[in-house]
Amino acid sequence: DVKVTQSSRYLVKRTGEKVFLECVQDMDHENMFWYRQDPGLGLRLIYFSYDVKMKEKGDIPEGYSVSREKKERFSLILESASTNQTSMYLCASSSPPITEAFFGQGTRLTVV
Amino acid sequence: GIQVEQSPPDLILQEGANSTLRCNFSDSVNNLQWFHQNPWGQLINLFYIPSGTKQNGRLSATTVATERYSLLYISSSQTTDSGVYFCAVHRSSNTGKLIFGQGTTLQVKP
C-alpha cells in the first residue's frame, strides 16, 4: 500500500515561531504536494515539488517555504508562524504517468 | 482556471438508502479523483477515474469527460459512509496537481 506519513497529527505553536511540517512517502514518487484546508475555502495548493531540490509555487505560497533534499521527504516551513496560518495541512504524493495522488493523515496546526 | 462544482453540498440519508453525488467541471481535464475525508481529516482514495465506470463494493463512479461531469454512487449506505466526499480534477498532465470541489457532506443516520 502507498503510504504518506506526516510527522504530527496535532501541533500548537506560538506566533513568530519557525515551524516545520514533515512528510515522508514510501512509494518512490517524483511529485509531492502541500495543501491547506480551511472551512469555506476548501483545499488549496501551497507548494509542489516534482523532483529533489525542485519546487514550484502553488496558489497560496505566501508565508511558506519548502525543502526537498531527499526524494521521499518534503518539508513545509512556516518561517514566522502567524494566527492566520492556523489550518489543516495535508501532504500528498504522486508519480507520472498515472499521477493518482495519495494523501497523508493531515496535521492540524494551531498558532496562538 | 478550472472550476469544480459539487452537488448537493449536504445530504442526510437513512441507513440503507442509495445516493448519487455529482461533480461538474468547467474545462477539459486529464483526470479526476474521488476522495472520502474521514472524521480525523485524512483523505481516503475512492476512485481514480478519467472516464468510464468503476466499481468498488457498494461504491461506483462514472466520469463522462466529454460532458464534463462525474457521478459517485453509494448504495445501501452505512453510518461509516458519513463524512465529506471530494471530487478533484487534475490541472495538467503528469503533475498530479489537483483542483478540489467544495465537497458534499454526507450524514447517514442509523
Side-chain angles (χ1 to χ4, degrees), chain B residues 6-101:
Chain B
Q6 292 185 241
S7 59
D10 301 282
L11 188 57
I12 300 174
L13 299 175
Q14 285 299 130
E15 202 167 25
N18 302 329
S19 62
T20 301
L21 282 58
R22 187 177 180 101
C23 173
N24 292 333
F25 40 97
S26 61
D27 203 347
S28 300
V29 297
N30 288 292
N31 225 314
L32 184 144
Q33 290 186 244
W34 283 97
F35 298 93
H36 176 214
Q37 189 165 38
N38 66 22
W40 299 272
Q42 185 167 9
L43 288 172
I44 308 298
N45 289 40
L46 296 178
F47 294 101
Y48 175 78
I49 184 165
S51 63
T53 298
K54 290 186 177 180
Q55 179 146 14
N56 184 2
R58 296 181 296 105
L59 273 60
S60 65
T62 295
T63 296
V64 185
T66 53
E67 297 187 22
R68 300 179 185 168
Y69 73 89
S70 184
L71 302 173
L72 178 69
Y73 306 95
I74 305 173
S75 64
S76 304
S77 58
Q78 301 175 358
T79 55
T80 52
D81 294 331
S82 297
V84 185
Y85 289 81
F86 288 102
C87 162
V89 301
H90 289 215
R91 301 186 193 197
S92 60
S93 60
N94 292 336
T95 67
K97 288 190 282 187
L98 297 172
I99 301 172
F100 284 84

Side-chain angles (χ1 to χ4, degrees), chain A residues 1-99:
Chain A
D1 277 353
V2 175
K3 193 150 187 188
V4 181
T5 304
Q6 295 182 228
S7 53
S8 304
R9 182 70 68 92
Y10 300 95
L11 271 180
V12 180
K13 296 292 182 181
R14 295 196 177 276
T15 301
E17 273 193 77
K18 190 169 186 176
V19 180
F20 293 86
L21 303 183
E22 308 286 347
C23 175
V24 177
Q25 51 94 3
D26 66 358
M27 286 303 294
D28 201 35
H29 283 171
E30 279 79 12
N31 302 331
M32 296 190 74
F33 312 84
W34 278 104
Y35 294 86
R36 66 176 278 178
Q37 183 179 18
D38 302 286
L41 296 175
L43 286 102
R44 295 174 291 168
L45 180 65
I46 306 172
Y47 263 100
F48 160 60
S49 170
Y50 51 91
D51 202 350
V52 174
K53 297 190 186 297
M54 306 304 289
K55 61 186 179 184
E56 188 177 300
K57 292 181 180 179
D59 300 316
I60 50 164
E62 297 78 18
Y64 303 96
S65 62
V66 290
S67 172
R68 193 163 179 204
E69 297 296 319
K70 294 185 178 181
K71 190 175 185 180
E72 67 271 19
R73 186 180 295 271
F74 191 35
S75 303
L76 181 69
I77 303 160
L78 287 66
E79 294 288 344
S80 178
S82 63
T83 55
N84 64 11
Q85 293 177 310
T86 291
S87 187
M88 174 68 145
Y89 290 87
L90 292 156
C91 173
S93 72
S94 72
S95 193
I98 301 298
T99 68

